[in-house]
Amino acid sequence: MSSPLQIAILLSGRGSNFQAILNNCLNGTLNATISCVFSNKPEAKGLETATANQIDTIAISPNDFPNFDDYEKAVLTELQKYPIDLVVCAGYMRILGPTLLNAFPNKIINIHPSLLPKFKGLNAQKQALEAGETEAGCTVHYVNDELDGGPIILQKKVPVLENDTVESLSDRILEQEHIAYSEAIQQLINQGG
Ligand code: GRF
């Protein structure tokens, strides 16, 4: 078996997608290792999960820098201390700028709670409900300089039910996100990383 794919996780909050990926790394479903977890929010719950699992954490707030590029340069300096084959955005609520994009060309992926190209940006589940969709879902895609616009790796669909609220639909999509993200990473591993 080839050596495990080294993953850096970028997150901003809860970190349930990170947890799902970690579970699959630990139970051997995914031939991957999480080398570090970065957050732009020092209080992110996902950082606690990382620490509880003996995974190195990095927290840097953009507010501590005069501009976004200086922030990203600081993030990159820290990330470069780790072996990284793939950068996995898991609820990282910042756009990626040229500094990070150029440092990891075609090596940054994201998960978005809609069937892209529909409903880019924030509140995707609410957007789907308001548009009267009968089907929603999630998309794992490469990150490029277009918001939620990079090439699609994998999608999973769920039905939109008549009485759905943003919360109930989000929960149904999130269940699929937890499956989809590891499947997409495994797909990339099978393709050679
Ligand atoms: C997920 O819905 C993901 O699709 C979106 O942000 C949310 C993150 O959730 N990009 P979690 O932090 O992984 O629980």
Side-chain angles (χ1 to χ4, degrees), residues 52-63:
N53 286 278
Q54 291 83 46
I55 299 170
D56 280 8
T57 62
I58 308 160
I60 300 177
S61 168
N63 301 336

Side-chain angles (χ1 to χ4, degrees), residues 74-90:
V75 175
L76 182 58
T77 299
E78 291 306 310
L79 289 178
Q80 281 173 334
K81 295 177 181 168
Y82 295 89
I84 298 172
D85 300 315
L86 186 69
V87 176
V88 172
C89 300

